[in-house]
Amino acid sequence: MKKKIQLVLGSGGARGIAHIAVIEELEKTGHEIVEIVGCSMGAVIGGIYAAGQLEDYKKWLFSLDRNQVFDLTDFTFKKQGFVKGEKIFAKHREMTGDLNIEDFKIPFTAIAADVREGKEVLFKKGDLYKALRASVSIPGVFVPVEHKNRLLVDGGILNPLPLNVMKKREDATLVAVDLNSFGNPLIDEIVEDEEKSPKWFEQLIPDNIIQKTRFETKKGDSLSVFDLMESTFVLTQDRLKDLMIKVYPPDVLVNIPRKTCSTFEFWKAEYVYNCGLQAFKNSLNEIPAVPDI
């Protein structure tokens, strides 16, 4: 008899590749994932897994280099954002064909945020890639999605770890994966061995623009407007996530350190995956063992 798992997958850009490792290890240790709720990259991984396409998607991610990632970034000059976000999901659709959430064997929910109403939007049916495109729309970076008179952005602005959306089952263990933890001493050594890279926005925005937005703080630090944008977004996410964990505590929390990689470093897929493996192993003692038959 397999132990049932309800899985909540948080937001965190390329760190979401660690979700793949957690899913695979849960299956290898004899557990059955019976429901998934995901936000942003957690929605992407969770949705593709629920659709039965995760193995091919993983192989594709592992094949990407830095240039290929940038080739999939479709820049635009719209006031609402500088990345359209259509090219990457066109590639997803090319790999898997059209996918509708209601057809999945595993119940799946993607989370986005409606900036007009200030509310969460739950995608439980319909076109998977339309739902994912809305769920990953980082404000100021990706152009928001217009859907049924709603203006949708990344679900992480309201709910980076959507534990409240999952209705806890008595016959299942609720496992949540946080991609924005402040570190785990058992995997910090792995993370710190990785070469430090520029922040995600510094890899997308021309150097002259970055330099023009810099200002000096009283402590003598040099910050840019983009530094400030990222810092405030991160602080808000952390507070929301901590409150969510306190009010809706999962049975098991798998922690992936924020410093594992930056938001758009998808070319580090194998490395991030291995960090996910280690984080899962660190959580094994919290996950009920599958009984022998």
Side-chain angles (χ1 to χ4, degrees):
M1 179 179 177
K2 292 185 177 182
K3 181 67 180 181
K4 294 180 173 61
I5 298 290
Q6 291 176 287
L7 193 57
V8 176
L9 304 177
S11 62
R15 293 186 298 281
I17 296 165
H19 289 320
I20 300 175
V22 174
I23 289 170
E24 290 185 346
E25 289 304 300
L26 282 169
E27 289 189 328
K28 287 178 184 178
T29 51
H31 296 84
E32 177 189 5
I33 298 170
V34 295
E35 186 176 359
I36 302 172
V37 171
C39 173
S40 197
M41 193 59 186
V44 173
I45 299 299
I48 289 176
Y49 170 72
Q53 302 286 339
L54 190 60
E55 182 59 34
D56 288 340
Y57 184 65
K58 174 187 172 183
K59 290 178 182 177
W60 175 69
L61 283 173
F62 276 35
S63 73
L64 295 176
D65 59 27
R66 188 187 301 255
N67 290 332
Q68 289 171 313
V69 171
F70 287 127
D71 286 343
L72 290 168
T73 306
D74 43 0
F75 294 102
T76 184
F77 296 101
K78 292 186 177 181
K79 294 179 180 179
Q80 296 174 318
F82 58 86
V83 178
K84 289 188 288 186
E86 303 299 335
K87 195 172 183 180
I88 179 65
F89 287 110
K91 180 63 178 179
H92 286 46
R93 198 182 295 273
E94 178 186 320
M95 288 190 291
T96 66
D98 293 334
L99 297 171
N100 290 312
I101 296 171
E102 62 269 27
D103 295 334
F104 299 168
K105 293 182 179 179
I106 301 173
F108 167 71
T109 304
I111 314 296
D114 180 0
V115 295
R116 290 184 177 136
E117 297 291 331
K119 297 179 180 178
E120 293 174 0
V121 175
L122 310 184
F123 287 90
K124 295 177 177 286
K125 61 182 180 179
D127 187 308
L128 173 66
Y129 293 122
K130 286 183 179 178
L132 300 186
R133 172 64 183 84
S135 188
V136 304
S137 297
I138 301 171
V141 179
F142 286 95
V143 177
V145 173
E146 291 274 2
H147 178 71
K148 295 183 178 179
N149 296 319
R150 294 165 170 164
L151 188 65
L152 302 180
V153 297
D154 193 320
I157 70 167
L158 290 178
N159 204 346
L161 192 62
L163 288 159
N164 63 312
V165 177
M166 183 72 79
K167 185 176 181 181
K168 183 75 171 67
R169 290 172 42 165
E170 292 184 0
D171 65 339
T173 298
L174 179 53
V175 176
V177 185
D178 174 20
L179 300 180
N180 297 293
S181 79
F182 285 103
N184 184 318
L186 295 178
I187 60 175
D188 276 350
E189 185 176 346
I190 297 175
V191 174
E192 288 169 2
D193 282 344
E194 186 72 3
E195 181 181 355
K196 183 174 176 59
S197 298
K199 294 178 181 178
W200 61 266
F201 51 77
E202 292 176 350
Q203 300 171 54
L204 295 176
I205 301 171
D207 290 342
N208 64 322
I209 296 178
I210 291 287
Q211 293 306 317
K212 286 180 180 179
T213 68
R214 291 201 174 277
F215 60 95
E216 296 293 326
T217 71
K218 289 183 178 180
K219 292 184 178 181
D221 297 324
S222 175
L223 298 176
S224 71
V225 170
F226 301 102
D227 286 313
L228 194 59
M229 286 172 55
E230 184 188 39
S231 296
T232 52
F233 185 67
V234 165
L235 287 171
T236 303
Q237 280 200 315
D238 285 341
R239 179 58 62 89
L240 290 170
K241 177 198 68 177
D242 291 344
L243 287 172
M244 193 61 64
I245 291 171
K246 184 176 181 179
V247 177
Y248 303 94
D251 297 314
V252 179
L253 182 62
V254 180
N255 290 302
I256 310 297
R258 176 177 285 116
K259 62 183 179 180
T260 299
C261 74
S262 64
T263 304
F264 288 105
E265 290 183 316
F266 287 93
W267 55 88
K268 293 185 176 181
E270 190 167 357
Y271 160 73
V272 177
Y273 175 87
N274 287 331
C275 288
L277 285 178
Q278 187 60 55
F280 178 83
K281 291 176 183 177
N282 296 342
S283 303
L284 274 179
N285 61 332
E286 302 176 44
I287 300 176
V290 178
D292 294 329
I293 299 176

